[in-house]
């Protein structure tokens, strides 16, 4: 009768151990999937930031072409206004045209500088997103290790500590 109880307890402990092991494994897999997902999201954010940096460059090119067109129109209007007023293209008229050209170059340099700063920020944002993705993956790995440890401890506690190796595996058999 004692033997029957012991066998039932061993079967019950085996069944419970299997459930604990299966749940631990499921949690382990879920943590790995969550880590991969979070890393994928961060990598996607990095890709988007890099695309935004490329878009900043394209926008700069567009803005510079549009600025040059507007500046050419402005310079033409200025030349016409100077000619209509009877001012020669020397002296103050020439200085006005030169000043406008210098200001145009300064404005284009500022536009280029701002675009370069914007691109650098986007590339840094992309790098930071990738770092966050790597951290998320490492955190998932740490959680997986913790799950393995906790599951192992639970199984050890359920079996009453470590079982002897070989032999009857801790089963009590009545004579």
């Amino acid at each position: 009768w004692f033997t029957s109880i012991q066998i039932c307890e061993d079967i019950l402990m085996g069944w419970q151990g299997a459930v604990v092991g299966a749940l631990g494994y499921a949690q382990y897999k879920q943590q790995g999937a969550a880590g991969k997902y979070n890393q994928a999201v961060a990598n996607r954010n990095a890709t988007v930031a890099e695309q935004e940096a490329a878009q900043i460059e394209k926008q700069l090119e567009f803005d510079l072409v549009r600025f040059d067109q507007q500046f050419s129109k402005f310079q033409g209007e200025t030349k016409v206004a100077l000619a209509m007023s009877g001012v020669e293209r020397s002296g103050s008229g020439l200085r006005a045209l030169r000043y406008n050209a210098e200001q145009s170059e300064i404005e284009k340099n500022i536009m280029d500088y701002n675009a370069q700063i914007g691109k650098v920020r986007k590339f840094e944002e992309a790098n930071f997103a990738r770092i966050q993705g790597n951290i998320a993956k490492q955190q998932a790995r740490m959680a997986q290790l913790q799950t393995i440890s906790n599951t192992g401890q639970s199984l050890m506690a359920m079996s009453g500590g470590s079982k002897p190796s070989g032999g009857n595996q801790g089963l009590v058999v009545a004579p």
Side-chain angles (χ1 to χ4, degrees):
W1 139 246
F2 178 71
T3 304
S4 299
I5 292 175
Q6 186 63 39
I7 291 172
C8 289
E9 285 178 358
D10 287 342
I11 291 171
L12 181 60
M13 292 303 278
W15 178 80
Q16 288 173 339
V19 169
V20 167
L23 291 174
Y25 179 75
Q27 183 176 2
Y28 172 87
K29 294 300 275 182
Q30 184 63 30
Q31 288 166 331
K36 286 179 184 177
Y37 174 78
N38 289 336
Q39 186 176 30
V41 168
N43 286 339
R44 175 68 182 132
N45 291 341
T47 301
V48 168
E50 289 170 343
Q51 290 169 348
E52 289 173 353
Q55 188 61 34
I56 288 171
E57 182 67 31
K58 289 178 184 177
Q59 184 66 44
L60 172 64
E61 292 170 9
F62 175 79
D63 290 345
L64 287 174
V65 167
R66 192 175 68 200
F67 180 83
D68 284 339
Q69 289 171 344
Q70 291 173 344
F71 178 72
S72 293
K73 181 181 174 187
F74 174 72
Q75 282 291 74
E77 291 171 355
T78 303
K79 288 176 186 177
V80 169
L82 289 173
M84 297 278 289
S85 66
V87 175
E88 295 181 20
R89 283 200 183 175
S90 61
S92 62
L94 186 59
R95 281 193 300 271
L97 291 172
R98 184 180 302 133
Y99 175 79
N100 290 345
E102 290 169 355
Q103 291 303 308
S104 167
E105 287 302 313
I106 291 171
E107 188 63 32
K108 289 194 307 189
N109 288 341
I110 290 171
M111 291 168 65
D112 184 56
Y113 174 79
N114 289 338
Q116 296 304 321
I117 294 296
K119 284 174 33 180
V120 166
R121 286 182 180 154
K122 288 298 177 181
F123 283 125
E124 285 301 314
E125 186 178 316
N127 289 336
F128 186 69
R130 284 198 176 86
I131 289 168
Q132 285 178 317
N134 289 335
I135 289 171
K137 183 71 173 169
Q138 290 301 320
Q139 287 174 333
R141 286 185 184 144
M142 293 301 292
Q144 286 179 312
L145 291 174
Q146 186 67 39
T147 296
I148 291 170
S149 174
N150 290 343
T151 302
Q153 288 176 351
S154 294
L155 292 172
M156 291 293 287
M158 289 173 65
S159 69
S162 61
K163 292 185 177 182
S165 60
N168 63 10
Q169 300 295 321
L171 295 176
V172 176
V173 181

